[in-house]
Amino acid sequence: MAKSPEVKLAVFGRAGVGKSALVVRFLTRRFIWEYDPTLESTYRHQANVDDEVVTMEILDTAGQEDVQQKEGHMRWGDGFVIVYDITDRGSFEEVAPLRSLLEEVKKPKNVPLVLVGNKSDLDHARQVGTEEGERLAAEMACAFYECSACASEGGSVAEAFYELCREVRRR
Ligand code: GDP
Ligand code: MG
């Protein structure tokens, strides 16, 4: 049997948007309330994506890196999750600059990417509309998911990672 393909995925976004919570939700189907926000971790995870076993290496960045560290992570990755928090407009405004940096680091390749608006359970505190997320994703030509790391099903969290794997494998 052929060796299962490996994809390197990096998760970007402002500190506090829920990157660690999303990664842990995806890997364990659990929600854990507090992580050290300065921590950067990598995880290995095997999953069946469209009848193919894929080994994912997931880098959960801290979100406080300087540009050089960011560029290093971007060179490392094959595919990227950019996360913002629907209750934090500033985190949404950081998406486009991250995307530009990615494009610059990866050029001339185009970059497998998914956009995630997290904390959809906090609708009462929402600052970024669903349509705004959709519009930005359309501009970036990538898939978009609104989700919550703490909602009990956590369905679209996994879907975002699987879709990114597909995107990487298509290239
Ligand atoms: P990171 O800095 O991007 O890794 O963010 P964390 O995963 O450490 O999460 C930052 C804070 O947001 C923590 O207090 C989490 O409990 C909280 N959090 C993360 N995801 C969600 C979510 O989907 N809903 C809610 N209500 N809180 C969340
Ligand atoms: Mg974190």
Side-chain angles (χ1 to χ4, degrees):
M1 207 171 78
K3 189 169 171 289
S4 81
E6 252 189 57
V7 298
K8 296 193 187 115
L9 310 180
V11 184
F12 279 95
R14 172 187 271 195
V17 297
K19 298 178 296 299
S20 301
L22 284 169
V23 169
V24 170
R25 158 65 71 183
F26 172 57
L27 297 177
T28 67
R29 301 193 174 78
R30 290 199 174 79
F31 181 67
I32 296 168
W33 278 100
E34 293 303 332
Y35 294 91
D36 180 344
T38 62
L39 219 66
E40 171 188 306
S41 324
T42 48
Y43 304 86
R44 280 175 78 83
H45 177 69
Q46 280 204 334
N48 203 314
V49 183
D50 304 333
D51 295 323
E52 181 179 51
V53 178
V54 175
T55 302
M56 300 176 210
E57 235 183 294
I58 302 175
L59 169 64
D60 172 25
T61 69
Q64 304 168 328
E65 297 81 359
D66 62 31
V67 174
Q68 264 143 347
Q69 288 170 308
K70 281 196 184 115
E71 287 177 351
H73 293 150
M74 288 171 175
R75 275 192 292 273
W76 173 86
D78 304 314
F80 303 88
V81 183
I82 300 185
V83 184
Y84 67 92
D85 170 353
I86 67 154
T87 72
D88 174 11
R89 175 153 297 273
S91 71
F92 183 67
E93 284 161 1
E94 285 182 24
V95 171
L98 276 171
R99 162 83 177 343
S100 305
L101 189 60
L102 263 174
E103 297 263 278
E104 198 181 301
V105 170
K106 292 300 203 188
K107 81 183 165 208
K109 286 195 276 189
N110 66 20
V111 188
L113 184 70
V114 297
L115 179 64
V116 171
N118 188 39
K119 308 199 187 179
S120 63
D121 55 297
L122 300 180
D123 200 49
H124 57 279
R126 180 188 285 275
Q127 294 182 356
V128 183
T130 305
E131 332 66 55
E132 292 180 271
E134 286 168 351
R135 210 176 309 133
L136 181 59
E139 278 167 28
M140 306 194 306
C142 72
F144 171 62
Y145 301 88
E146 245 186 28
C147 59
S148 166
C150 67
S152 53
E153 9 64 64
S156 52
V157 177
E159 194 42 50
F161 280 95
Y162 292 160
E163 181 55 28
L164 183 55
C165 278
R166 289 188 194 106
E167 215 23 63
V168 171
R169 299 284 297 142
R170 276 197 281 266
R171 303 304 159 97

